[in-house]
Amino acid sequence: MLLRQQDELKVFTGTAHRGLAEDICNYLHIPVGQSNVFKFSNDNTFVQIEENVRQRDVFLMQPFAYPVNDHIMELLIMIDAAKRASAGRITAIIPYYAYGRTDKKDQPRVPITGRLIADLLSVAGADRVLTIDLHAGQIQGFFNNPVDELTALPILANYFRNKALENLVVVAVDIGISKRARDMAIRLGVPLAIIEKRRVSNEEQVETLNVIGDVAGKIALTFDDEIDTAGSLMACVEALKGAGVTDVYSCATHPVLSGPGIQRIEQSEIVELVVTDTLPLPEEKRNGKITVLSVAPLLGEAISRIHGGSSVGALFT
């Protein structure tokens, strides 16, 4: 799609994932915007936009990668800098929205941090948000400004469709992700199973209770929006193996892979883990089991459509 008034479009990036920003800009055939983002010795973040953005359509790309709080603050300061430089419209591109699990009060005296982050972005001056596969769809409602939520599901589905695995079953790792997992199963033309599980505490301990569906003798493809320490995934793999699956493949949009996550994947019975590059995954973490697919064309096309006033939803119809 040709860009309307291309010289008015500017894409800047923080320090969280410059490689993805460069890939997006390559798709759009524009350079990454010039900016200076660093920390002073007192740990204060400094941002300076080094080119004219007055009345321009400005996109600021920053996933909430580790260290999460630093990168959130960095984006807020970038938004404020663009706003004070008289940008015409500011879109925050957040491929991975951290704190998405904290979307409700499920215990006494706890915060709803997902809403707090939305408020901070709005107050800083973001006019709209572009993101991929929120942990909970209701997070869109935390914003008073427009939110375009993309999905990496077609990218993941196309990859496994091309692998042509026989006797496959898609497995939702919990009931909460079952609707999206069903969409994946429909795209692949295979049945769906669900893992019923119970989280024991806030310490990421999971008690797997039951496999709902016929998986015996099949190849299982587990589906989730993100993989963090991989504790839940390991419990799912154990349950599936106990239920008689022959092989286990896994896919997720966001490779958080914190703590022992990489080691658990490497030592597990998973044949292949397929993720996207919504978060940076250094080469030293990409063991032989991990495949990374790019979301740059998806984000680039969405930016083009937002800038040109075209439908973003039409990308998935």
Side-chain angles (χ1 to χ4, degrees), residues 16 25 33 58 71 77 79 115 137 141 162 166 171 183 206 232 291 296:
C25 288
V58 173
H71 287 137
I77 295 172
I79 293 169
R115 171 60 190 267
N162 291 334
E166 295 183 0
V171 180
D183 292 341
V206 173
S232 295
T291 299

Side-chain angles (χ1 to χ4, degrees), residues 25-248:
C25 288
N26 286 338
Y27 178 89
L28 294 168
H29 303 293
I30 61 173
V32 177
Q34 296 298 308
S35 61
N36 191 15
V37 183
F38 67 90
K39 275 192 175 186
F40 291 111
S41 57
N42 63 1
D43 203 42
N44 290 2
T45 297
F46 175 82
V47 172
Q48 183 176 24
I49 295 174
E50 298 181 319
E51 54 185 281
N52 178 29
V53 295
R54 185 177 296 274
Q55 296 306 308
R56 303 294 178 92
D57 198 4
V58 173
F59 294 80
L60 305 175
M61 208 290 294
Q62 179 91 315
F64 293 158
Y66 179 87
V68 173
N69 295 334
D70 283 354
H71 287 137
I72 291 173
M73 192 65 191
E74 191 175 285
L75 178 59
L76 295 173
I77 295 172
M78 290 172 65
I79 293 169
D80 187 71
K83 180 181 178 181
R84 295 179 188 278
S86 301
R89 180 175 63 178
I90 301 169
T91 301
I93 307 172
I94 309 172
Y96 173 67
Y97 188 87
Y99 290 107
R101 294 180 178 181
T102 318
D103 62 325
K104 57 185 175 297
K105 284 195 67 173
D106 54 0
Q107 302 174 55
R109 299 172 297 283
V110 296
I112 304 179
T113 319
R115 171 60 190 267
L116 174 62
I117 300 301
D119 289 343
L120 291 171
L121 290 165
S122 298
V123 170
D127 295 301
R128 66 188 305 129
V129 169
L130 176 62
T131 189
I132 300 178
D133 285 333
L134 292 167
H135 183 68
Q138 63 263 29
I139 292 173
Q140 295 182 53
F142 293 171
F143 292 85
N144 293 321
N145 299 327
V147 176
D148 290 302
E149 183 190 3
L150 309 178
T151 179
L153 193 151
I155 297 172
L156 297 169
N158 286 340
Y159 179 85
F160 282 100
R161 186 182 299 114
N162 291 334
K163 286 186 78 75
L165 297 172
E166 295 183 0
N167 205 18
L168 185 68
V169 58
V170 171
V171 180
V173 298
D174 60 38
I175 293 174
I177 199 72
S178 60
K179 183 179 184 299
R180 277 185 274 186
R182 183 175 297 280
D183 292 341
M184 171 68 90
I186 290 171
R187 285 177 179 269
L188 295 177
V190 301
L192 174 71
I194 300 172
I195 299 286
E196 180 190 17
K197 69 181 183 183
R198 178 179 300 161
R199 190 169 295 277
V200 178
S201 69
N202 292 333
E203 301 300 323
E204 297 164 345
Q205 299 176 24
V206 173
E207 177 189 358
T208 300
L209 299 179
N210 194 22
V211 178
I212 304 172
D214 180 18
V215 298
K218 297 180 181 292
I219 296 175
L221 171 60
T222 70
F223 181 87
D224 205 352
D225 62 314
E226 67 179 71
I227 298 176
D228 189 359
T229 64
S232 295
L233 180 57
M234 295 304 100
C236 291
V237 171
E238 182 179 353
L240 289 169
K241 282 292 186 177
V245 302
T246 57
D247 289 310
V248 179

